[in-house]
Amino acid sequence: MIKQEKILITGANGQLGSVLAKRLQEKHGVNNVVATDIVADEDFVGNFEILDVLDFERLKSIVIQNEITQIYHLAAILSASGEKHPKRTWDINTKTLFNVLDVSVIQNVNKLFFPSSIAVYGTNAPKINTPQSYELTPTTVYGISKVAGENWAKYYFDNYDLDIRSVRYPGVIGHQTLPGGGTTDYAVDIFYKAINETNFECFLSKNTTLPMIYMDDAIRATIELMDAPKKSISIRTSYNIAGMSFSPEELTYAIQKIYPNFKTLYKPDFRQKIASSWPSSIDDSVAKKDWNWNPLFGIDEMTKIMIEELKLKQKTKLQKT
Ligand code: AKB
């Protein structure tokens, strides 16, 4: 008989965590998922625990009490926020990872998911179709913490046989929850302005092309990687995955197909330097070969869905007030 998986998610209130929690509830059953975050989410339906992942004893007791078999460790500080408090970001991003790695080894957790990012690359890497394996010289503390995390992931796999798996996410675009503190956040914020038919002020320059992925693809990649047979996983640091690549100007053109009068004004700030250090597009051929990764959403499909879903959400909210 296949043993029922019991899932723990950290950072479950976040942009990815909130959607992943629902998807994992559908897959494993509501009672088999424990969502955690540093603050409560009043609207969450299911098991929710307040957890600061820096608190190892509390993490351990939640893992023991719920007989956790898989952990998705999403709690982290992202690139733009990270630059405001570099040492705090390093501490939070690395100490929480160690706590999750150690609890997984001590409590025999079967599988662990750790999100990495395109932020692991630095200015020296080829911009176009950036290869899976290249010297990693990130310019942000967030990127530095992800490179360290990737190497620790491989270390725990090599030395403790911990089945830890990871993808390097591009900027994630979804309508469910707003992202917070990232450099790619503009690509979500822009849609809130578009549906209200107001101009958007972009903190990146118009031709800054970055790798992006639609939420459904990002969630599917995560689950497909976690479900892949152990023997097919050849990368124990982190897999490149690609969805689409576009600049703020190209996204504006895509929105103008629906709102012809929509305009973006460009006012690059400190986030421009971060974005300029990242790849424009990513080579994800290793993920495709190892576990059949295949993105389904391009810029036009994503734009149409984002606008439809956000308009629906706005209408529902108005009807309730
Ligand atoms: C960020 O912008 O910091 C994140 C990322 C690309 O990892 N969205």
Side-chain angles (χ1 to χ4, degrees):
M1 209 176 76
I2 298 171
K3 197 172 165 254
Q4 175 60 58
E5 299 288 354
K6 301 273 182 148
I7 315 288
L8 177 84
I9 307 170
T10 73
N13 293 352
Q15 190 203 12
L16 257 172
S18 55
V19 185
L20 186 65
K22 284 205 183 76
R23 179 70 195 88
L24 291 171
Q25 285 178 335
E26 282 158 19
K27 184 170 156 65
H28 297 282
V30 175
N31 293 332
N32 296 314
V33 176
V34 182
T36 71
D37 210 303
I38 200 153
V39 288
D41 173 2
E42 304 305 335
D43 299 328
F44 188 84
V45 181
N47 301 321
F48 190 95
E49 296 277 355
I50 292 183
L51 170 66
D52 177 349
V53 198
L54 291 171
D55 183 347
F56 181 76
E57 290 308 321
R58 171 135 177 86
L59 169 66
K60 189 173 156 198
S61 85
I62 293 176
V63 169
I64 293 172
Q65 264 168 30
N66 295 282
E67 298 175 5
I68 295 298
T69 63
Q70 288 190 9
I71 302 180
Y72 292 75
H73 174 47
L74 302 183
I77 298 183
L78 298 186
S79 58
S81 296
E83 291 310 283
K84 292 182 185 151
H85 307 283
K87 289 201 178 128
R88 201 173 125 239
T89 301
W90 168 258
D91 273 354
I92 291 175
N93 288 2
T94 54
K95 281 186 187 161
T96 57
L97 176 62
F98 274 121
N99 283 348
V100 172
L101 287 167
D102 287 337
V103 86
S104 300
V105 172
I106 297 166
Q107 294 309 131
N108 291 317
V109 169
N110 295 341
K111 275 186 203 168
L112 172 58
F113 178 79
F114 161 69
S116 187
S117 161
I118 54 161
V120 293
Y121 293 105
T123 42
N124 62 333
K127 285 264 167 226
I128 310 292
N129 227 11
T130 310
Q132 169 71 47
S133 296
Y134 200 82
E135 186 193 351
L136 301 176
T137 57
T139 58
T140 60
V141 67
Y142 171 66
I144 296 171
S145 71
K146 290 296 179 190
V147 173
E150 288 189 7
N151 284 304
W152 278 110
K154 183 163 182 327
Y155 184 90
Y156 272 67
F157 173 73
D158 289 341
N159 292 284
Y160 305 113
D161 199 24
L162 176 62
D163 190 356
I164 175 163
R165 303 175 182 205
S166 174
V167 294
R168 291 176 180 152
Y169 289 115
V172 177
I173 304 170
H175 52 82
Q176 296 88 343
T177 312
L178 277 167
T183 303
T184 56
D185 294 6
Y186 92 85
V188 177
D189 299 341
I190 194 169
F191 288 105
Y192 286 81
K193 294 291 181 194
I195 62 157
N196 288 313
E197 301 188 42
T198 42
N199 292 343
F200 176 63
E201 195 175 286
C202 184
F203 56 73
L204 298 182
S205 67
K206 64 180 178 183
N207 46 16
T208 310
T209 300
L210 289 173
M212 301 280 182
I213 191 166
Y214 181 55
M215 180 65 82
D216 283 24
D217 274 343
I219 297 290
R220 192 168 48 78
T222 310
I223 291 176
E224 285 178 3
L225 172 64
M226 288 297 267
D227 283 349
K230 200 172 173 183
K231 62 177 183 333
S232 64
I233 310 293
S234 70
I235 302 286
R236 286 295 176 170
T237 49
S238 190
Y239 280 99
N240 279 3
I241 55 163
M244 56 191 109
S245 276
F246 57 74
S247 65
E249 188 173 46
E250 285 163 335
L251 183 55
T252 302
Y253 290 149
I255 294 172
Q256 282 170 346
K257 289 180 194 167
I258 301 168
Y259 293 105
N261 296 327
F262 178 70
K263 278 195 187 61
T264 298
L265 314 166
Y266 298 94
K267 272 211 175 159
D269 67 13
F270 73 99
R271 288 166 280 195
Q272 181 63 47
K273 189 170 157 226
I274 302 176
S276 300
S277 76
W278 288 353
S280 297
S281 62
I282 286 286
D283 172 14
D284 58 357
S285 52
V286 184
K288 285 181 166 145
K289 180 170 98 6
D290 283 4
W291 42 278
N292 300 320
W293 163 240
N294 182 31
L296 298 178
F297 294 87
I299 184 167
D300 287 328
E301 296 98 315
M302 177 276 290
T303 299
K304 191 166 168 286
I305 301 172
M306 284 295 289
I307 289 174
E308 280 169 9
E309 291 293 334
L310 288 178
K311 273 170 69 181
L312 192 68
K313 202 148 100 177
Q314 196 179 50
K315 200 170 143 201
T316 319
K317 207 165 146 194
L318 281 174
Q319 277 165 354
K320 276 191 194 156
T321 52

PDB file of all heavy atoms in Angstrom, residues 78-80 117-119 142 169-172 181-185 278, ligand 1:
ATOM      1  N   LEU A  78      13.142  38.162  -0.845  1.00  0.00           N
ATOM      2  CA  LEU A  78      13.486  38.225  -2.279  1.00  0.00           C
ATOM      3  C   LEU A  78      14.525  39.315  -2.589  1.00  0.00           C
ATOM      4  O   LEU A  78      14.984  40.030  -1.703  1.00  0.00           O
ATOM      5  CB  LEU A  78      12.214  38.430  -3.098  1.00  0.00           C
ATOM      6  CG  LEU A  78      11.150  37.338  -3.006  1.00  0.00           C
ATOM      7  CD1 LEU A  78      10.011  37.611  -3.980  1.00  0.00           C
ATOM      8  CD2 LEU A  78      11.712  35.951  -3.261  1.00  0.00           C
ATOM      9  N   SER A  79      14.841  39.417  -3.889  1.00  0.00           N
ATOM     10  CA  SER A  79      16.008  40.210  -4.316  1.00  0.00           C
ATOM     11  C   SER A  79      15.980  41.688  -3.923  1.00  0.00           C
ATOM     12  O   SER A  79      16.971  42.185  -3.377  1.00  0.00           O
ATOM     13  CB  SER A  79      16.158  40.101  -5.837  1.00  0.00           C
ATOM     14  OG  SER A  79      14.979  40.546  -6.473  1.00  0.00           O
ATOM     15  N   ALA A  80      14.878  42.381  -4.202  1.00  0.00           N
ATOM     16  CA  ALA A  80      14.879  43.832  -3.983  1.00  0.00           C
ATOM     17  C   ALA A  80      14.833  44.157  -2.488  1.00  0.00           C
ATOM     18  O   ALA A  80      15.632  44.961  -1.996  1.00  0.00           O
ATOM     19  CB  ALA A  80      13.697  44.466  -4.707  1.00  0.00           C
ATOM     20  N   SER A 117      16.565  30.452  -7.906  1.00  0.00           N
ATOM     21  CA  SER A 117      16.116  31.575  -8.734  1.00  0.00           C
ATOM     22  C   SER A 117      17.119  31.865  -9.846  1.00  0.00           C
ATOM     23  O   SER A 117      18.308  31.540  -9.724  1.00  0.00           O
ATOM     24  CB  SER A 117      15.979  32.795  -7.809  1.00  0.00           C
ATOM     25  OG  SER A 117      15.974  33.987  -8.532  1.00  0.00           O
ATOM     26  N   ILE A 118      16.635  32.553 -10.889  1.00  0.00           N
ATOM     27  CA  ILE A 118      17.543  33.059 -11.933  1.00  0.00           C
ATOM     28  C   ILE A 118      18.559  34.035 -11.334  1.00  0.00           C
ATOM     29  O   ILE A 118      19.549  34.355 -11.978  1.00  0.00           O
ATOM     30  CB  ILE A 118      16.758  33.765 -13.057  1.00  0.00           C
ATOM     31  CG1 ILE A 118      15.855  34.859 -12.459  1.00  0.00           C
ATOM     32  CG2 ILE A 118      15.944  32.767 -13.875  1.00  0.00           C
ATOM     33  CD1 ILE A 118      15.397  35.907 -13.456  1.00  0.00           C
ATOM     34  N   ALA A 119      18.292  34.502 -10.094  1.00  0.00           N
ATOM     35  CA  ALA A 119      19.188  35.444  -9.413  1.00  0.00           C
ATOM     36  C   ALA A 119      20.546  34.832  -9.061  1.00  0.00           C
ATOM     37  O   ALA A 119      21.434  35.543  -8.601  1.00  0.00           O
ATOM     38  CB  ALA A 119      18.516  35.956  -8.139  1.00  0.00           C
ATOM     39  N   TYR A 142      20.365  38.068  -2.051  1.00  0.00           N
ATOM     40  CA  TYR A 142      19.380  37.017  -2.340  1.00  0.00           C
ATOM     41  C   TYR A 142      20.014  35.947  -3.238  1.00  0.00           C
ATOM     42  O   TYR A 142      19.938  34.742  -2.954  1.00  0.00           O
ATOM     43  CB  TYR A 142      18.175  37.673  -3.033  1.00  0.00           C
ATOM     44  CG  TYR A 142      17.133  36.746  -3.608  1.00  0.00           C
ATOM     45  CD1 TYR A 142      16.343  35.940  -2.791  1.00  0.00           C
ATOM     46  CD2 TYR A 142      16.898  36.717  -4.990  1.00  0.00           C
ATOM     47  CE1 TYR A 142      15.368  35.120  -3.334  1.00  0.00           C
ATOM     48  CE2 TYR A 142      15.923  35.901  -5.535  1.00  0.00           C
ATOM     49  CZ  TYR A 142      15.165  35.107  -4.707  1.00  0.00           C
ATOM     50  OH  TYR A 142      14.197  34.302  -5.253  1.00  0.00           O
ATOM     51  N   TYR A 169      13.485  29.474 -10.214  1.00  0.00           N
ATOM     52  CA  TYR A 169      12.312  30.152 -10.778  1.00  0.00           C
ATOM     53  C   TYR A 169      12.701  31.436 -11.497  1.00  0.00           C
ATOM     54  O   TYR A 169      13.478  32.231 -10.971  1.00  0.00           O
ATOM     55  CB  TYR A 169      11.327  30.540  -9.671  1.00  0.00           C
ATOM     56  CG  TYR A 169      10.578  29.404  -9.021  1.00  0.00           C
ATOM     57  CD1 TYR A 169      10.776  29.107  -7.684  1.00  0.00           C
ATOM     58  CD2 TYR A 169       9.648  28.658  -9.735  1.00  0.00           C
ATOM     59  CE1 TYR A 169      10.075  28.078  -7.064  1.00  0.00           C
ATOM     60  CE2 TYR A 169       8.942  27.635  -9.125  1.00  0.00           C
ATOM     61  CZ  TYR A 169       9.160  27.356  -7.790  1.00  0.00           C
ATOM     62  OH  TYR A 169       8.468  26.342  -7.182  1.00  0.00           O
ATOM     63  N   PRO A 170      12.087  31.662 -12.662  1.00  0.00           N
ATOM     64  CA  PRO A 170      12.107  33.005 -13.258  1.00  0.00           C
ATOM     65  C   PRO A 170      11.109  33.874 -12.466  1.00  0.00           C
ATOM     66  O   PRO A 170      10.562  33.412 -11.452  1.00  0.00           O
ATOM     67  CB  PRO A 170      11.594  32.755 -14.678  1.00  0.00           C
ATOM     68  CG  PRO A 170      11.535  31.269 -14.856  1.00  0.00           C
ATOM     69  CD  PRO A 170      11.406  30.673 -13.494  1.00  0.00           C
ATOM     70  N   GLY A 171      10.822  35.090 -12.896  1.00  0.00           N
ATOM     71  CA  GLY A 171       9.780  35.890 -12.257  1.00  0.00           C
ATOM     72  C   GLY A 171       8.435  35.199 -12.431  1.00  0.00           C
ATOM     73  O   GLY A 171       8.094  34.806 -13.547  1.00  0.00           O
ATOM     74  N   VAL A 172       7.694  35.039 -11.333  1.00  0.00           N
ATOM     75  CA  VAL A 172       6.421  34.300 -11.408  1.00  0.00           C
ATOM     76  C   VAL A 172       5.263  35.308 -11.525  1.00  0.00           C
ATOM     77  O   VAL A 172       5.185  36.265 -10.757  1.00  0.00           O
ATOM     78  CB  VAL A 172       6.243  33.396 -10.166  1.00  0.00           C
ATOM     79  CG1 VAL A 172       4.886  32.685 -10.209  1.00  0.00           C
ATOM     80  CG2 VAL A 172       7.382  32.385 -10.076  1.00  0.00           C
ATOM     81  N   GLY A 181       8.577  42.280  -2.774  1.00  0.00           N
ATOM     82  CA  GLY A 181      10.013  42.453  -2.577  1.00  0.00           C
ATOM     83  C   GLY A 181      10.893  41.919  -3.687  1.00  0.00           C
ATOM     84  O   GLY A 181      12.109  41.848  -3.537  1.00  0.00           O
ATOM     85  N   GLY A 182      10.316  41.556  -4.835  1.00  0.00           N
ATOM     86  CA  GLY A 182      11.129  41.028  -5.935  1.00  0.00           C
ATOM     87  C   GLY A 182      11.397  42.085  -7.003  1.00  0.00           C
ATOM     88  O   GLY A 182      10.760  43.142  -7.026  1.00  0.00           O
ATOM     89  N   THR A 183      12.314  41.765  -7.907  1.00  0.00           N
ATOM     90  CA  THR A 183      12.662  42.662  -9.011  1.00  0.00           C
ATOM     91  C   THR A 183      11.733  42.428 -10.189  1.00  0.00           C
ATOM     92  O   THR A 183      11.550  43.296 -11.036  1.00  0.00           O
ATOM     93  CB  THR A 183      14.142  42.417  -9.409  1.00  0.00           C
ATOM     94  OG1 THR A 183      14.924  42.617  -8.229  1.00  0.00           O
ATOM     95  CG2 THR A 183      14.619  43.335 -10.502  1.00  0.00           C
ATOM     96  N   THR A 184      11.143  41.242 -10.254  1.00  0.00           N
ATOM     97  CA  THR A 184      10.228  40.935 -11.363  1.00  0.00           C
ATOM     98  C   THR A 184       8.769  41.311 -11.027  1.00  0.00           C
ATOM     99  O   THR A 184       7.882  41.077 -11.838  1.00  0.00           O
ATOM    100  CB  THR A 184      10.299  39.425 -11.709  1.00  0.00           C
ATOM    101  OG1 THR A 184      10.016  38.677 -10.522  1.00  0.00           O
ATOM    102  CG2 THR A 184      11.659  39.038 -12.247  1.00  0.00           C
ATOM    103  N   ASP A 185       8.537  41.892  -9.837  1.00  0.00           N
ATOM    104  CA  ASP A 185       7.159  42.184  -9.390  1.00  0.00           C
ATOM    105  C   ASP A 185       6.397  43.116 -10.341  1.00  0.00           C
ATOM    106  O   ASP A 185       5.163  43.091 -10.376  1.00  0.00           O
ATOM    107  CB  ASP A 185       7.149  42.859  -8.005  1.00  0.00           C
ATOM    108  CG  ASP A 185       7.647  41.946  -6.898  1.00  0.00           C
ATOM    109  OD1 ASP A 185       8.111  40.837  -7.206  1.00  0.00           O
ATOM    110  OD2 ASP A 185       7.585  42.353  -5.723  1.00  0.00           O
ATOM    111  N   TRP A 278      20.899  39.968 -14.421  1.00  0.00           N
ATOM    112  CA  TRP A 278      20.255  38.652 -14.595  1.00  0.00           C
ATOM    113  C   TRP A 278      20.166  38.262 -16.079  1.00  0.00           C
ATOM    114  O   TRP A 278      20.224  39.129 -16.949  1.00  0.00           O
ATOM    115  CB  TRP A 278      18.836  38.684 -14.000  1.00  0.00           C
ATOM    116  CG  TRP A 278      18.795  38.714 -12.501  1.00  0.00           C
ATOM    117  CD1 TRP A 278      19.862  38.590 -11.648  1.00  0.00           C
ATOM    118  CD2 TRP A 278      17.639  38.900 -11.677  1.00  0.00           C
ATOM    119  NE1 TRP A 278      19.436  38.681 -10.340  1.00  0.00           N
ATOM    120  CE2 TRP A 278      18.078  38.871 -10.332  1.00  0.00           C
ATOM    121  CE3 TRP A 278      16.290  39.069 -11.923  1.00  0.00           C
ATOM    122  CZ2 TRP A 278      17.206  39.016  -9.259  1.00  0.00           C
ATOM    123  CZ3 TRP A 278      15.414  39.216 -10.846  1.00  0.00           C
ATOM    124  CH2 TRP A 278      15.872  39.181  -9.535  1.00  0.00           C
TER     125      TRP A 278
HETATM  126  C1  AKB B   1      12.754  38.292  -7.526  1.00  0.00           C
HETATM  127  O1  AKB B   1      12.484  39.145  -8.386  1.00  0.00           O
HETATM  128  O2  AKB B   1      13.504  38.501  -6.563  1.00  0.00           O
HETATM  129  C2  AKB B   1      12.166  36.903  -7.685  1.00  0.00           C
HETATM  130  C3  AKB B   1      13.097  35.988  -8.412  1.00  0.00           C
HETATM  131  C4  AKB B   1      13.340  36.158  -9.848  1.00  0.00           C
HETATM  132  O3  AKB B   1      13.641  35.109  -7.796  1.00  0.00           O
HETATM  133  N1  AKB B   1      10.921  36.980  -8.366  1.00  0.00           N
END
